[in-house]
Amino acid sequence: MTSNVLAPGLPGLTDGDVETASKSSPEWVAETRRNAWRTYESMELPDPGDEEWRRTNLREMTFPSARPSQLSVAADSSRNDAIVIADLASSDHADVVKRYFGKTVHAEEWKFVALNAALWSGGKLIHVPAGVEADLPVSLLASGLTDGGAAFPRVLVIAERNSSVRIVDDSSSVGGGFVSSVVEIIVGEGAKVEYYDINRWGDGVLNFKTVRAILGRDAEFVGLAAGIGSKLTKMRFDVEMPEPGARMQLLGVTFGSGKQHFDYNTLQNHVGHHTISDLQFKSALTDESSLVWYGITRINHGATAAEANQTSRNLLLSEHAKAAPIPILEIEAYDVAKCSHGATAGPVEDTELFYLESRGIPKDVAEHMLVEGFFADVIRRIPDEKLREQVLDAVLVKAGGRLESITWDDVLAG
Amino acid sequence: MAEELLKIRGLTVAVEGKQILNGLDLTVNRGEVHAIMGPNGSGKSTLANALMGHPRYQVTGGDVKFKGEEILGLTPDVRAQKGMFLAFQYPTSIPGVTMVNFLRQAMKAVRQEDVPVREFREKLLATLKLLKIDEDFARRYVNEGFSGGEKKRAEVLQLGILDPDLAIMDETDSGLDIDALRTVAEGVNALTTPKLGVVLITHYQRLLNYIKPQFVHILYKGRIIESGGPELALQLEAEGYDPVIAKYGGTPELAVAGEKA
Ligand SMILES: Nc1ncnc2c1ncn2[C@@H]1O[C@H](COP(=O)(O)OP(=O)(O)OP(=O)(O)O)[C@@H](O)[C@H]1O
Ligand SMILES: [Mg+2]
């Protein structure tokens, strides 16, 4: 084992763990693991001078010693038999995995991504053949992180041309631990992928996650980050649109409590012409929780007629909660169709609260209604109703559950 | 004798440290309609909001009794539960909260008991029909994207569903075209019962052709400077506020001081 004073890593992990992880892997995987481990060892923790790391300074953090947990990811695939859901290390799919693994999120990007590439376990491949439209969601349920353990989930999604799939990546655990996840999503020409991340890690977990989707021509992507669990979450969520006609939405719903800290970096990268992006990130923060959203919209030369929007709204439900929403626009193209952004942070609107109270609704219920409405307004963009309800339920657990609600159709039917 | 519903004595209200109401008296009995008229900025909405308990409107003096009970210490929700209702001049929109959920919560809250779906449906459908509002309204978010006229109808819809004892209507007629005005006014009339007292804030006589007030009050610089019957509104329509204000010597501060009992 080597130890590097300039580039300290996670105590408790050694290159022996790479060998253990490699046991059930084919040789080419073992080789990438060893290379990634060397990269991990050689890299420093991110510099807090970097804009993206300013508000979550890893160099000041002490990482507890952690041993790898045996992560298990259950994939519910029984009803989608036209699509492949397999172990990433399985030799049956080696060709396709070899072609795409580590090509969208590179081990060299930063230290914990390299660590993931070295130690991932429970990795999943989701491969949707051309023209196949999976009508039911694929849910990945990650569990098995023991209190104080370390987990390295990894997902590779390949949606071939004109296919479609929705994926729910739901992680939970109890207690503390360390997690570094990587998700690579390749969306082929005319294909559509929806990817919903539900972070319900235990309240002591340090959670690092990188998700990057790359969209083909006329492809469509919907991504959601639901922040519920963890002590610290640092999530990078990037969407690359190198080809014309691609469209994407990035949605975020986070409910912070206690001393939770969420730090999101997003990228809407317009390269192809006529690409469209929209980002809606919302949070409600209580107690001493805090949130950073640092989101870049980049419209490159050649991305003519691009349309982009980014909006971050943050409800501060206590006077000690903090939000720093930072929208960044980098526009190089001359002929942009539309580009807008907005960021707010503040308490519940008192005129809205008063309106509800003036109708007899007690203040606490009124506030709860406003918080639900606040999230519902983002979540309604999720096309699938069941999923909408699932996400809203998951987030509002933090608000003490959901209020009884009724739809007009229920009223008409009931 | 008519039963006393609302009794305001010497009410003074400040907004952001600025005194807006300067000692206002008003008594409303059940079954009565009181119109309150007055120039822009005279304090009409301040009165309405203060009565409903808006935290931004700070009551600095006087007292208000509703059904014989002192209400200034009560929170807005409790005032509503006791039977007070305010139709807002500028209803706020609440994204993400559907009308149907909002109305159901409000109805439950005001009644302080569960409302069977069937009863809720009958009441809502009947009131929607009365006000000529499309059923799909119920699916929309509260006031979100409503036109000016739709917002005002939605306020009257709530009046119908919540069935209060006192309705304060702050310029419910503003922003309505002639047909909508008639619909809304007829709706209010249909919803009016002998138990209801109405405080009707308006700038226009045209509303008073439909909803007939027994009393008309003129609010000026935070005080009622003149009260009368329906003829007062007709006089205002013809002559404007100047003669009434001039009658008080042109310097309303003095005039009002002289009037103080
Ligand atoms: N929230 C507020 N913040 C600051 N000033 C206010 C606020 N509300 C009212 N005021 C001030 O109080 C005064 C009275 O306003 P109010 O809204 O009560 O008038 P109004 O009689 O309802 O006028 P209008 O006919 O235009 O509706 C005005 O000078 C107004 O600027
Ligand atoms: Mg007003």
XYZ file of all heavy atoms in Angstrom, chain B residues 15-16 18-21 38-49 54 56-57 89-90 170-171 201 203 219, ligand 1:
254
model
N -49.231 50.457 8.314
C -48.531 49.538 7.417
C -47.097 50.025 7.310
O -46.856 51.180 6.945
C -49.158 49.511 6.015
C -48.450 48.487 5.140
C -50.638 49.209 6.089
N -46.178 49.168 7.634
C -44.765 49.527 7.619
C -44.512 50.862 8.326
O -43.844 51.748 7.804
C -44.239 49.551 6.186
C -43.920 48.134 5.705
C -43.809 48.017 4.200
O -43.630 49.063 3.547
O -43.908 46.884 3.701
N -46.408 53.270 8.811
C -47.178 54.428 8.338
C -48.647 54.237 8.707
O -49.251 53.215 8.379
C -47.012 54.526 6.813
C -47.639 55.743 6.182
C -47.345 55.747 4.675
C -48.449 56.437 3.912
N -48.528 55.995 2.520
N -49.211 55.225 9.414
C -50.598 55.138 9.845
C -51.520 55.285 8.635
O -51.461 56.281 7.915
C -50.864 56.268 10.850
C -52.180 56.148 11.556
C -52.086 55.277 12.818
O -51.023 54.751 13.155
N -53.196 55.113 13.500
N -52.365 54.301 8.403
C -53.261 54.339 7.239
C -54.715 54.537 7.669
O -55.425 55.367 7.108
C -53.164 53.042 6.404
C -51.704 52.738 6.025
C -54.040 53.143 5.163
C -51.078 53.680 5.027
N -55.160 53.789 8.669
C -56.513 54.001 9.187
C -56.408 54.838 10.456
O -55.607 54.555 11.344
C -57.206 52.669 9.488
C -57.555 51.771 8.298
C -58.408 50.589 8.761
C -58.260 52.544 7.194
N -64.445 55.174 -1.906
C -63.415 56.135 -1.509
C -62.315 56.152 -2.534
O -62.114 55.170 -3.249
N -61.601 57.257 -2.614
C -60.558 57.394 -3.622
C -59.453 56.335 -3.449
O -59.331 55.739 -2.373
C -59.980 58.790 -3.373
C -60.869 59.453 -2.397
C -61.704 58.428 -1.733
N -58.654 56.165 -4.456
C -57.502 55.250 -4.388
C -56.617 55.647 -3.214
O -56.371 56.824 -2.996
C -56.656 55.327 -5.658
C -57.396 54.799 -6.874
O -57.487 55.463 -7.890
N -57.951 53.617 -6.767
N -56.175 54.645 -2.507
C -55.246 54.904 -1.412
C -55.893 55.404 -0.135
O -55.197 55.777 0.811
N -57.231 55.411 -0.076
C -57.880 55.948 1.128
C -57.860 54.956 2.288
O -58.106 55.337 3.428
C -59.314 56.368 0.804
O -60.021 55.291 0.246
N -57.583 53.694 2.001
C -57.443 52.725 3.087
C -58.470 51.602 3.067
O -58.608 50.858 4.037
N -59.163 51.448 1.964
C -60.220 50.429 1.887
C -59.656 49.015 2.021
O -60.152 48.211 2.808
C -60.981 50.572 0.553
C -61.597 51.961 0.360
C -62.360 52.079 -0.946
C -61.508 51.900 -2.208
N -60.463 52.938 -2.392
N -58.618 48.731 1.244
C -58.033 47.382 1.331
C -57.330 47.181 2.666
O -57.256 46.063 3.182
C -57.037 47.150 0.191
O -57.700 47.184 -1.042
N -56.809 48.259 3.205
C -56.174 48.173 4.519
C -57.199 47.718 5.553
O -56.931 46.835 6.375
C -55.580 49.543 4.907
O -54.630 49.904 3.913
C -54.923 49.496 6.263
N -58.388 48.300 5.475
C -59.464 47.893 6.375
C -59.774 46.410 6.188
O -59.852 45.643 7.157
C -60.717 48.746 6.105
C -61.994 48.300 6.833
C -61.822 48.441 8.344
C -63.206 49.106 6.351
N -59.939 46.005 4.945
C -60.293 44.616 4.651
C -59.235 43.653 5.180
O -59.551 42.659 5.847
C -60.465 44.444 3.146
N -57.973 43.951 4.891
C -56.883 43.069 5.323
C -56.716 43.043 6.837
O -56.436 41.999 7.424
C -55.571 43.484 4.658
C -55.477 42.977 3.229
O -55.406 41.778 2.992
N -55.514 43.884 2.269
N -54.322 40.136 8.449
C -53.045 40.072 7.725
C -51.921 40.621 8.604
O -52.010 41.739 9.101
C -53.153 40.889 6.440
C -52.036 40.612 5.468
N -50.708 40.732 5.812
C -52.054 40.191 4.181
C -49.959 40.413 4.771
N -50.750 40.077 3.766
N -49.157 41.907 8.037
C -48.473 43.126 7.610
C -49.246 44.394 7.999
O -48.698 45.482 7.966
C -48.267 43.105 6.091
C -46.793 43.113 5.720
C -46.616 43.373 4.254
N -46.560 42.141 3.490
C -46.676 42.082 2.162
N -46.877 43.188 1.456
N -46.604 40.930 1.540
N -50.511 44.225 8.334
C -51.334 45.373 8.722
C -51.438 45.384 10.234
O -52.126 44.563 10.836
C -52.707 45.292 8.049
C -52.595 45.382 6.548
C -52.222 44.266 5.787
C -52.804 46.593 5.884
C -52.072 44.352 4.415
C -52.663 46.687 4.510
C -52.291 45.559 3.771
O -52.150 45.645 2.415
N -58.892 41.847 -3.327
C -58.781 42.719 -4.503
C -57.797 42.111 -5.509
O -58.036 42.127 -6.707
C -58.311 44.121 -4.078
C -58.222 45.103 -5.245
C -57.858 46.521 -4.793
O -57.613 46.783 -3.620
N -57.831 47.443 -5.741
N -56.702 41.591 -4.982
C -55.696 40.952 -5.834
C -55.420 39.542 -5.330
O -54.448 39.320 -4.609
C -54.398 41.771 -5.818
C -54.569 43.203 -6.235
C -54.432 44.239 -5.311
C -54.881 43.528 -7.555
C -54.599 45.569 -5.701
C -55.048 44.849 -7.948
C -54.909 45.863 -7.012
O -55.080 47.158 -7.413
N -63.584 43.012 -1.632
C -62.725 44.134 -1.985
C -62.630 44.262 -3.504
O -61.887 43.525 -4.148
C -61.340 43.938 -1.357
C -60.490 45.210 -1.429
O -60.954 46.216 -2.020
O -59.362 45.188 -0.885
N -63.394 45.157 -4.043
C -63.400 45.422 -5.490
C -63.583 44.157 -6.315
O -62.868 43.928 -7.290
C -62.124 46.163 -5.916
C -62.034 47.535 -5.266
C -61.072 48.473 -5.985
O -60.857 48.299 -7.199
O -60.553 49.378 -5.326
N -66.689 46.720 -1.010
C -65.794 47.815 -1.368
C -65.826 47.974 -2.880
O -65.618 47.002 -3.611
C -64.362 47.514 -0.886
C -64.334 47.439 0.648
C -63.386 48.566 -1.407
C -63.027 46.927 1.227
N -65.591 50.945 -6.446
C -65.468 52.294 -7.002
C -66.668 52.654 -7.859
O -66.812 53.784 -8.288
C -64.213 52.381 -7.895
C -62.931 52.434 -7.125
N -62.591 53.492 -6.326
C -61.917 51.544 -7.012
C -61.409 53.263 -5.774
N -60.977 52.075 -6.175
N -64.905 56.488 2.570
C -63.653 56.416 3.321
C -62.682 57.396 2.684
O -62.494 57.409 1.467
C -63.113 54.979 3.246
C -61.914 54.649 4.118
C -62.264 54.784 5.591
C -61.440 53.225 3.851
N -48.382 46.381 2.010
C -48.231 47.716 1.965
N -47.002 48.253 2.042
C -46.844 49.599 2.011
N -47.835 50.463 1.895
C -49.074 49.990 1.809
C -49.346 48.586 1.838
N -50.657 48.410 1.730
C -51.195 49.641 1.646
N -50.252 50.588 1.697
C -50.480 52.030 1.610
O -51.615 52.334 2.378
C -52.424 53.271 1.718
C -53.828 52.741 1.589
O -53.793 51.649 0.706
P -55.052 50.735 0.436
O -54.594 49.599 -0.373
O -55.740 50.409 1.708
O -55.970 51.712 -0.424
P -57.337 51.440 -1.181
O -58.309 52.388 -0.612
O -57.698 50.019 -1.106
O -56.979 51.878 -2.648
P -57.473 51.292 -4.072
O -58.762 51.946 -4.342
O -56.431 51.752 -5.015
O -57.570 49.834 -3.956
C -51.760 53.589 0.396
O -51.022 54.771 0.556
C -50.832 52.415 0.194
O -49.707 52.791 -0.544
